[in-house]
Amino acid sequence: MEVSGEGREIRRDGGHARGSSRVAATEDEIDGMHAAKAVSAENTDVNEDKSCSQPQEQLLWVILVGLVFALIIQSLAANLGVTTGKHLAELCKAEYPRFVKYCLWVVAELAVIAADIPEVIGTAFALNILFHIPLWAGVLITGLSTLLLLGLQRYGVRKLELLISILVFVMAACYFGELSYVKPPASEVMKGLFVPKLSGNSATSDAIALLGALVMPHNLFLHSALVLSRKTPPSVKGINDACRYFLVESGFALFVALLINIAVVSVSGTVCTADNLSSEDSDRCSDLTLNSASFLLKNVLGKSSSIVYGIALLASGQSSTITGTYAGQYIMQGFLDIKMRMWLQNLMTRCVAIGPSLIVSIIGGSAGAGKLIIIASMILSFELPFALIPLLKFSSSKTKMGPHKNSIYVIVVSWVLGFGVIGINIYFLSTSFVDWIIHSSLPKPVIILVGIIVFPFMAVYILAIIYLTFRKDTAVTFIDKSDSSQIEMENGMRRSDGNRGTEVVPYRVDLADIPLPD
């Protein structure tokens, strides 16, 4: 696609961050697959009545809603960056007081760490599958993946990302092949996609975990920043065309992610509830984790299923590491105006993520590590409002977006979906904690002490969301000086900040210091 007129082109082969965007899209597929498999393990019980519909298929509508929501907010993040010439972290720094700014920065960094935990565990599982390395040792080895990543990047980041994408899509193709072999009931799949239903004791937590894996807060910072390294015309038409192109690009990537997740959930649900399930596979299904899920592909790959699965799982962890590192770079640069070396940023994040992963893998083994993936995904969902609310407010603000602000339809849909996720989070937090207090076997003094500590945190969480929602924005990034200036801007003769010139405002030369694919 090319956009003509004054300014620079948006081309399919242009832009410094093109490959990064491709791997960022792959991360949505990967983390959804990790969470879907982990949640399927929690929901699978082969001793259940076979006449019941597969509980895994109840996850499909959550995946559909999550990816539609991801498409909306990622396109809003891209529009915000293209229009304002600043990414989300920079706008948060300009808008909020110092204390709030630092709190948002801490939450954003914690989101990057929480997103890295599934990659640590996934990589450890891959090493266990391929080389039979103990899980706890694999977790420690993942700390060295930073050095491996830097070494491979010397051969070209684009080549590395292409290799990763190919390996992940090979595994996706295997799941599609297995899907055609096991033939899940089409009516059940369609019902799972379009009929909202959650049943079971862990239904709400499973839904929250999937939403956290599919709509990750640090990706909002990433998508708003990646577009700034692309070349966009300065006119209103050019900006609109650019936003439309980013929407189509994200839509395609997330549609592929939806198909992959449908295949993963449907295959696991159909295989583990089959009437002719062998006793060995029955035991695997009862303890289904990322470490044991390779047997789901044996109909397509035979004995080599574990090797192909392990290689793809290892590659998927590295691709998510790339996007997490880029997101951390933009978050730190935007909030603190600090640019850290890529390897140091990656190493710090990975070291923090290794701690809980190592403890859980030693104590709980594979099952405990699988549950940690769900917990990390739930943490991402709880942290989502602190990136989502600023994004929705900024992208709907005329003072920041000018004529490019969200339409009333987009505002209504995005806020309804956003408050739906926030409401589910608050409901789950409050009901789960109250239920724990009621049924806990701990001594009463201990329960009271825990309540004294936790309830204030819950109150602060709710008050922080209310503050971000109703605080009036003060920073102005779009200045409309006169009707003539708007006409000149539409003709590509005036920039969005009111100054004359044909240079492209959204193109950020200063972001070139942040390592991106050449």
Side-chain angles (χ1 to χ4, degrees), residues 106 169 174 179 216 372 396 518:
V106 171
F169 277 102
C174 294
L179 188 66
M216 291 182 287
L372 183 60
S396 303
D518 296 325

PDB file of all heavy atoms in Angstrom, residues 106 169 174 179 216 372 396 518:
ATOM      1  N   VAL A 106       5.698   2.078  37.310  1.00  0.00           N
ATOM      2  CA  VAL A 106       5.934   0.836  38.052  1.00  0.00           C
ATOM      3  C   VAL A 106       4.966  -0.252  37.600  1.00  0.00           C
ATOM      4  O   VAL A 106       5.354  -1.409  37.377  1.00  0.00           O
ATOM      5  CB  VAL A 106       5.808   1.083  39.572  1.00  0.00           C
ATOM      6  CG1 VAL A 106       5.828  -0.244  40.332  1.00  0.00           C
ATOM      7  CG2 VAL A 106       6.931   1.982  40.067  1.00  0.00           C
ATOM      8  N   PHE A 169       4.370 -20.819  13.166  1.00  0.00           N
ATOM      9  CA  PHE A 169       3.306 -21.156  12.228  1.00  0.00           C
ATOM     10  C   PHE A 169       3.359 -22.623  11.812  1.00  0.00           C
ATOM     11  O   PHE A 169       2.336 -23.190  11.415  1.00  0.00           O
ATOM     12  CB  PHE A 169       3.380 -20.237  11.006  1.00  0.00           C
ATOM     13  CG  PHE A 169       2.713 -18.917  11.228  1.00  0.00           C
ATOM     14  CD1 PHE A 169       3.463 -17.781  11.505  1.00  0.00           C
ATOM     15  CD2 PHE A 169       1.326 -18.808  11.179  1.00  0.00           C
ATOM     16  CE1 PHE A 169       2.853 -16.567  11.727  1.00  0.00           C
ATOM     17  CE2 PHE A 169       0.709 -17.595  11.396  1.00  0.00           C
ATOM     18  CZ  PHE A 169       1.470 -16.469  11.672  1.00  0.00           C
ATOM     19  N   CYS A 174       0.351 -27.647  12.357  1.00  0.00           N
ATOM     20  CA  CYS A 174       0.169 -28.987  12.921  1.00  0.00           C
ATOM     21  C   CYS A 174      -1.150 -29.074  13.682  1.00  0.00           C
ATOM     22  O   CYS A 174      -1.857 -30.089  13.610  1.00  0.00           O
ATOM     23  CB  CYS A 174       1.336 -29.330  13.843  1.00  0.00           C
ATOM     24  SG  CYS A 174       2.924 -29.491  12.998  1.00  0.00           S
ATOM     25  N   LEU A 179      -6.670 -30.770  13.890  1.00  0.00           N
ATOM     26  CA  LEU A 179      -8.081 -30.375  13.951  1.00  0.00           C
ATOM     27  C   LEU A 179      -8.888 -31.112  12.886  1.00  0.00           C
ATOM     28  O   LEU A 179     -10.007 -31.577  13.141  1.00  0.00           O
ATOM     29  CB  LEU A 179      -8.200 -28.862  13.759  1.00  0.00           C
ATOM     30  CG  LEU A 179      -9.575 -28.225  13.964  1.00  0.00           C
ATOM     31  CD1 LEU A 179     -10.006 -28.332  15.416  1.00  0.00           C
ATOM     32  CD2 LEU A 179      -9.548 -26.759  13.529  1.00  0.00           C
ATOM     33  N   MET A 216      -2.704  -7.555  26.535  1.00  0.00           N
ATOM     34  CA  MET A 216      -1.652  -7.268  27.500  1.00  0.00           C
ATOM     35  C   MET A 216      -1.369  -5.769  27.557  1.00  0.00           C
ATOM     36  O   MET A 216      -1.234  -5.109  26.524  1.00  0.00           O
ATOM     37  CB  MET A 216      -0.387  -8.037  27.136  1.00  0.00           C
ATOM     38  CG  MET A 216      -0.538  -9.533  27.333  1.00  0.00           C
ATOM     39  SD  MET A 216       0.972 -10.453  26.975  1.00  0.00           S
ATOM     40  CE  MET A 216       0.992 -10.338  25.208  1.00  0.00           C
ATOM     41  N   LEU A 372       1.124 -21.099  37.532  1.00  0.00           N
ATOM     42  CA  LEU A 372       1.774 -19.790  37.583  1.00  0.00           C
ATOM     43  C   LEU A 372       1.531 -19.012  36.300  1.00  0.00           C
ATOM     44  O   LEU A 372       1.419 -17.776  36.328  1.00  0.00           O
ATOM     45  CB  LEU A 372       3.276 -19.970  37.827  1.00  0.00           C
ATOM     46  CG  LEU A 372       4.080 -18.665  37.978  1.00  0.00           C
ATOM     47  CD1 LEU A 372       3.564 -17.846  39.157  1.00  0.00           C
ATOM     48  CD2 LEU A 372       5.566 -18.971  38.157  1.00  0.00           C
ATOM     49  N   SER A 396      -9.797   9.723  22.763  1.00  0.00           N
ATOM     50  CA  SER A 396     -11.125  10.332  22.618  1.00  0.00           C
ATOM     51  C   SER A 396     -11.106  11.824  22.884  1.00  0.00           C
ATOM     52  O   SER A 396     -12.160  12.469  22.857  1.00  0.00           O
ATOM     53  CB  SER A 396     -12.117   9.651  23.578  1.00  0.00           C
ATOM     54  OG  SER A 396     -12.189   8.268  23.353  1.00  0.00           O
ATOM     55  N   ASP A 518      16.987  -3.428  11.600  1.00  0.00           N
ATOM     56  CA  ASP A 518      17.516  -2.585  10.525  1.00  0.00           C
ATOM     57  C   ASP A 518      16.887  -2.969   9.200  1.00  0.00           C
ATOM     58  O   ASP A 518      16.517  -4.098   8.991  1.00  0.00           O
ATOM     59  CB  ASP A 518      19.033  -2.766  10.443  1.00  0.00           C
ATOM     60  CG  ASP A 518      19.710  -2.269  11.717  1.00  0.00           C
ATOM     61  OD1 ASP A 518      19.219  -1.278  12.300  1.00  0.00           O
ATOM     62  OD2 ASP A 518      20.705  -2.886  12.135  1.00  0.00           O
TER      63      ASP A 518
END
